[in-house]
């Protein structure tokens, strides 16, 4: 079993849709949860960071962590064609390296 | 130049060649990393340097040889590679090696390597 599972997609949605991206994980010791966005031919960039459980909102983006279910989500409201990218979840426990998911390809059609 | 820059952006090499990838960070960070990104696979951490000292080496084959001459520059020397080494090689930096606490890694655009 992979430590972090992420549906590779591609996920194709119309402009304006609400997008839900998800990751599941097996290591209950993970405390730090991140979402990175990677545009084509670019390196990943940190989008959202959450410590432990709960929600965090930043503009159109909401990150959600459910540690009891070992499940994290990224919601994108009013999706735009410029949101088309690969979204990588990443997580870690204190003192250990980041563990990444394989990424979900998102395509927002105008 | 700002952020993290990597050269070359694309590299094609034969299995007997020797080449190097270069990374430079302009952020004043103390830690630098090499990651391998293959299609549909998670990012794989290869090497971690903190203040020019290697602090992590994730069982990477010896055909990959890192070098960190100072806190701003990182190299990955390549020799006698295999076709399965074809991938995107990403350099990253962080303020310090405790990046995992905030997750804030700053990545370059990567060097796309093809081994024939």
């Amino acid at each position: 079993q992979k430590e972090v599972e992420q549906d590779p997609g591609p996920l194709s949605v119309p402009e304006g849709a609400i997008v839900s991206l998800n990751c599941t994980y097996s290591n209950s010791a993970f405390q730090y949860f991140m979402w990175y966005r990677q545009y084509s031919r670019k390196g990943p960039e940190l989008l959202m960071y959450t410590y432990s459980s709960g929600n965090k909102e930043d503009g159109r983006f909401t990150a959600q962590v459910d540690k009891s279910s070992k499940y994290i989500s990224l919601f994108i409201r009013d999706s735009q064609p410029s949101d088309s990218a690969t979204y990588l979840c990443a997580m870690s426990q204190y003192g250990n390296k980041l563990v990444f998911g394989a990424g979900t390809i998102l395509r927002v059609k105008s | 130049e700002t952020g993290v820059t990597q050269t070359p952006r694309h590299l094609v090499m034969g299995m007997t060649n020797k080449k190097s990838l270069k990374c430079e960070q302009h952020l004043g960070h103390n830690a630098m990393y090499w990651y391998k990104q293959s299609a549909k696979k998670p990012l794989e951490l290869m090497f971690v340097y903190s203040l020019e000292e290697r602090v992590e080496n994730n069982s990477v084959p010896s055909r990959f040889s890192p070098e960190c001459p100072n806190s701003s520059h990182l190299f990955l020397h390549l020799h006698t590679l295999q076709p399965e080494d074809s991938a995107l090689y990403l350099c990253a930096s962080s303020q310090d090696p405790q990046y995992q606490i905030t997750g804030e890694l700053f990545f370059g655009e990567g060097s796309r390597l093809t081994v024939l």
Side-chain angles (χ1 to χ4, degrees):
Chain A
Q1 183 187 9
K2 293 180 185 175
E3 217 169 353
V4 177
E5 297 272 5
Q6 188 174 8
D7 187 332
L11 178 63
S12 188
V13 301
E15 183 175 355
I18 296 175
V19 175
S20 173
L21 303 167
N22 311 294
C23 287
T24 58
Y25 61 94
S26 57
N27 186 349
S28 58
F30 285 146
Q31 301 169 283
Y32 308 95
F33 303 92
M34 305 98 192
W35 286 94
Y36 277 80
R37 178 176 61 194
Q38 185 174 19
Y39 289 117
S40 181
R41 298 185 180 85
K42 299 288 187 181
E45 57 178 340
L46 182 65
L47 190 60
M48 298 284 282
Y49 160 75
T50 311
Y51 170 68
S52 193
S53 283
N55 290 5
K56 184 172 184 179
E57 189 173 322
D58 184 1
R60 296 184 296 109
F61 298 88
T62 300
Q64 207 170 70
V65 175
D66 181 350
K67 290 191 72 180
S68 61
S69 302
K70 299 196 190 96
Y71 189 87
I72 69 170
S73 300
L74 178 71
F75 297 97
I76 307 174
R77 291 183 299 281
D78 187 25
S79 56
Q80 302 295 310
S82 59
D83 294 327
S84 297
T86 298
Y87 290 80
L88 310 171
C89 64
M91 50 199 78
S92 72
Q93 56 188 101
Y94 185 83
N96 284 38
K97 64 183 181 183
L98 275 178
V99 180
F100 283 87
T104 298
I105 297 170
L106 173 65
R107 295 178 183 148
V108 181
K109 299 173 292 185
S110 58
Chain B
E1 293 279 12
T2 58
V4 180
T5 56
Q6 290 187 241
T7 55
R9 294 292 312 278
H10 300 273
L11 179 62
V12 179
M13 58 187 289
M15 290 192 286
T16 57
N17 291 160
K18 289 184 181 181
K19 298 285 184 183
S20 295
L21 306 180
K22 178 184 175 183
C23 175
E24 183 174 2
Q25 59 97 359
H26 310 269
L27 300 167
H29 288 168
N30 294 317
M32 296 186 77
Y33 313 81
W34 281 115
Y35 278 88
K36 177 183 179 183
Q37 187 174 36
S38 303
K40 299 185 179 179
K41 289 186 178 180
L43 286 176
E44 295 174 48
L45 179 63
M46 299 175 73
F47 301 103
V48 181
Y49 276 83
S50 174
L51 296 172
E52 304 133 51
E53 185 177 328
R54 191 189 308 182
V55 297
E56 189 160 347
N57 173 0
N58 272 10
S59 302
V60 178
S62 59
R63 57 186 183 269
F64 295 92
S65 175
E67 179 190 0
C68 188
N70 55 61
S71 60
S72 298
H73 293 86
L74 187 64
F75 295 88
L76 188 62
H77 304 299
L78 317 168
H79 63 98
T80 58
L81 295 190
Q82 305 298 310
E84 60 264 29
D85 296 323
S86 299
L88 182 69
Y89 289 85
L90 290 161
C91 174
S93 71
S94 67
Q95 183 61 44
D96 60 56
Q98 296 303 314
Y99 69 95
Q100 60 270 24
I101 296 175
T102 63
E104 191 141 35
L105 286 170
F106 292 80
F107 285 90
E109 295 189 333
S111 293
R112 173 71 61 185
L113 173 66
T114 302
V115 181
L116 302 176

